[in-house]
């Protein structure tokens, strides 16, 4: 077969070397004496085609998915816009993943960057002040900034209760008299804004300010006859609504019975859980993944919403196989971990994105609790690569310099969204979460769903940390697999409204004080 040089092959072919009159010599038997111990800033393969000692040591220290033998396995000749974008991302990430470019970040004893804890804390603090005027475009997302910052700081081990009064004062005007929270002042109640506000308040111990009766009645207006939930009255019905609504109901210990005037009662539904599991099952696509609604394209974030919602309804090993083709979903999720980056993509043929460290990375605890057999140590057997995700987040997603924050990928800037979910993804990868199959899934006396409270967390062993090439100081706090909150916060929520009726609890007046959090996107005077 003739030698043909590929366009993307950095090495010279033998024909070209001979044409350039290169001199070929017999190699000595001792390879270490044959090459200089020098670093190469390009391919690292000096003529006649064998690496220097330094390059060989670096290659041997890399995990299998980053070694040349693996990277050179597949070459797609077809060039498309998608493949060109992927080539660029790979080119940006490989120097960081392999340690050729450390961005000046301090390294641990294994050569990986430390978690920039202090810088990330400072970055998240900066997200609680006034924003530039262009941020007015995302005014309806204001509650999300509260959640992303409170959750992110908590995952880093910060005490966020210092923000309790400030946050409660800020979200009071967002709570509507008809129940639920809007995204901004004077906006309609929305499941996403209500979910984010409830979670943010949970982190600072402020759930008692919520009008639980009004919330219960409002959620009754978005429950649909087919079992699902709309995001708002008259808005789209999708899997986000189901997960957000069930999270709110569970954390606030709201009655499962629908309010008397809930529209879904006309279709003979009596509880929030009626037909919900069946509706979630209809969102599974032919690929095995989960779409936002029946017949929609599969997406990683919707997979998490579906699995978490079902894990609220019942124990994951009961509800997930009951309503989903779990093996097909497992296969689809496994295909979302990208190579060579090691992070996750949200959909097939899309680029790696750090936020899916949570949206897809957070699926593993849930689905493995449903279908994977426990190992000899009692932990679920992994079917994904924790070390690859950790390496991607630490090497490619930490912003260098003084600013801190986590980013989607090397070509982008940090933001609160990616910082929060990158840190949550680190927690999924660095810690172990187990479901207690013997624990009750419903309060026999009051009927409250308790399945989501039956999770425990355990830190990784020193051997595991060595295998992942990280140090104990770079491990983040536990994050609840279903609620994406600190484990201790969820336990507090479990007992917060025990014995408290739906008519009890404060109704907070709509007052804005001088001490409110800003996050106002340049809205002064508007």
């Amino acid at each position: 077969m003739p030698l043909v040089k590929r366009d993307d092959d950095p090495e010279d072919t033998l024909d070209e070397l001979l044409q350039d009159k290169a001199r070929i010599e017999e190699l000595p038997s001792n390879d270490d004496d044959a090459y200089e111990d020098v670093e190469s800033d390009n391919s690292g393969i000096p003529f006649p085609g064998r690496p220097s000692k330094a390059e060989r040591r670096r290659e041997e220290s890399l995990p299998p998915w980053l070694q040349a033998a693996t990277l050179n396995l597949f070459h797609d000749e077809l060039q498309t816009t998608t493949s060109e974008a992927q080539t660029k991302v790979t080119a940006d990430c490989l120097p960081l993943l392999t340690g050729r470019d450390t961005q000046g970040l301090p390294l641990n004893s294994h050569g990986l960057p430390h978690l920039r804890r202090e810088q990330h804390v400072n970055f998240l603090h900066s997200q609680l002040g006034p924003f530039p005027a262009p941020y007015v475009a995302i005014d309806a997302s204001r509650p999300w900034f509260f959640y992303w910052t409170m959750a992110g700081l908590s995952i880093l081990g910060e005490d966020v209760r210092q923000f309790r009064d400030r946050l409660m004062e800020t979200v009071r005007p967002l709570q509507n008299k008809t129940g639920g929270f809007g995204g901004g002042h004077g906006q309609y109640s929305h499941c996403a804004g209500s979910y984010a506000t409830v979670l943010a308040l949970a982190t600072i111990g402020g759930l008692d300010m919520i009008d639980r009766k009004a919330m219960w009645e409002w959620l009754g207006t978005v429950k649909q006859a087919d079992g699902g939930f709309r995001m708002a009255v008259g808005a789209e019905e999708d899997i986000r609504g189901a997960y957000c609504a069930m999270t709110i109901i569970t954390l606030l210990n709201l009655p499962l019975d629908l309010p008397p005037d809930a529209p879904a009662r006309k279709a003979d539904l009596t509880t929030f859980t009626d037909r919900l599991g069946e509706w979630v099952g209809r969102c599974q696509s032919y690929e095995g993944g989960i779409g936002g609604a029946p017949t929609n394209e599969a997406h990683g974030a919707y997979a998490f919403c579906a699995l978490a919602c079902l894990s609220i309804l019942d124990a994951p090993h009961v509800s997930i196989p009951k309503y989903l083709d779990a093996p097909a979903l497992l296969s689809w999720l496994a295909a979302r971990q990208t190579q060579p980056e090691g992070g996750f993509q949200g959909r097939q043929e899309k680029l790696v994105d750090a936020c899916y460290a949570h949206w897809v990375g957070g699926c593993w605890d849930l689905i493995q609790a449903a279908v994977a057999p426990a190992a000899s140590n009692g932990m679920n057997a992994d079917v994904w690569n924790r070390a690859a995700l950790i390496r991607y987040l630490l090497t490619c997603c930490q912003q260098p310099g003084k600013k801190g924050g986590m980013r989607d990928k090397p070509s982008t800037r940090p933001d609160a969204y990616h910082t929060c979910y990158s840190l949550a993804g680190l927690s999924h990868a660095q810690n172990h979460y187990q479901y207690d199959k013997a624990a009750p899934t419903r309060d026999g006396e009051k009927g409250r769903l308790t399945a989501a409270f039956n999770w425990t967390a355990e830190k990784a062993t020193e051997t595991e940390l060595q295998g992942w090439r990280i140090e104990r100081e770079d491990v983040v706090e536990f994050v609840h697999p279903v609620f994406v909150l600190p484990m201790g916060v969820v336990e507090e929520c479990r007992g917060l409204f025990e014995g408290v009726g739906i008519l009890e609890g404060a109704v907070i007046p709509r007052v804005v004080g001088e001490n409110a959090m800003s996050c106002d996107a340049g809205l002064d005077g508007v």
Side-chain angles (χ1 to χ4, degrees), residues 27-35 50 53 56:
L27 298 178
S29 58
N30 187 346
D31 290 346
D32 288 344
D33 296 334
Y35 309 104
R50 305 189 74 176
K53 287 189 294 184
R56 279 181 288 162

Side-chain angles (χ1 to χ4, degrees), residues 197-237:
T197 304
V198 168
L199 264 59
L201 288 172
T203 63
I204 53 95
L207 290 181
D208 55 352
M209 69 151 285
I210 296 176
D211 185 342
R212 294 168 61 237
K213 181 177 183 294
M215 177 72 80
W216 174 65
E217 292 174 337
W218 175 74
L219 287 173
T221 66
V222 296
K223 173 68 176 180
Q224 299 301 293
D226 61 5
F229 288 82
R230 291 189 183 276
M231 293 298 290
V233 175
E236 69 275 22
E237 178 185 13

